[in-house]
Amino acid sequence: MPTRILAARKFRKVLYDGPERTDIQLRVESSEPVDIYGVTAVFLDIFRRDRTADLFSFVGQTSLKKRIPLRPALGEEWYLIIENRSDSPVAIHYEVFDV
């Protein structure tokens, strides 16, 4: 995935098919701290209301490389959401792999 610019006070939401295995490898790098969430598609409305994620959340990250269990999302669509809460744009790079 190429580097993207995430505007101030905005988020990027990427839809993924349910993982084929029980875990994913997630890598995110950003020029400033961002919040990173994993949310199943059926949980998205709840997330929009109160920023509660049902799969994972990592707040204030500039670099994240983590193996994450997604057993609850097997076969279900889910979203990777990267949110910039700052007043300045940030550069982000992200990758998701089934492992």
Side-chain angles (χ1 to χ4, degrees):
M1 176 60 60
T3 300
R4 307 273 182 168
I5 301 299
L6 188 55
R9 303 272 175 207
K10 298 292 182 179
F11 64 88
R12 179 164 183 81
K13 177 180 72 178
V14 183
L15 179 63
Y16 289 93
D17 289 332
E20 295 177 11
R21 300 189 180 165
T22 59
D23 295 353
I24 61 162
Q25 178 76 35
L26 174 62
R27 265 193 293 205
V28 178
E29 296 176 2
S30 62
S31 58
E32 297 293 329
V34 293
D35 298 341
I36 304 160
Y37 305 98
V39 179
T40 56
V42 296
F43 203 80
L44 188 59
D45 286 337
I46 294 169
F47 173 82
R48 286 183 173 140
R49 283 195 304 267
D50 62 14
R51 291 303 189 257
T52 300
D54 62 338
L55 296 176
F56 57 85
S57 61
F58 302 98
V59 177
Q61 304 291 310
T62 57
S63 180
L64 178 71
K65 182 177 179 183
K66 192 155 188 76
R67 185 177 183 135
I68 301 171
L70 284 191
R71 185 175 308 272
L74 278 176
E76 293 185 39
E77 292 181 331
W78 66 281
Y79 290 95
L80 170 65
I81 300 170
I82 303 173
E83 184 172 25
N84 176 12
R85 292 187 292 143
S86 78
D87 293 326
S88 303
V90 298
I92 59 169
H93 174 86
Y94 57 91
E95 295 177 285
V96 176
F97 308 95
D98 282 349
V99 291

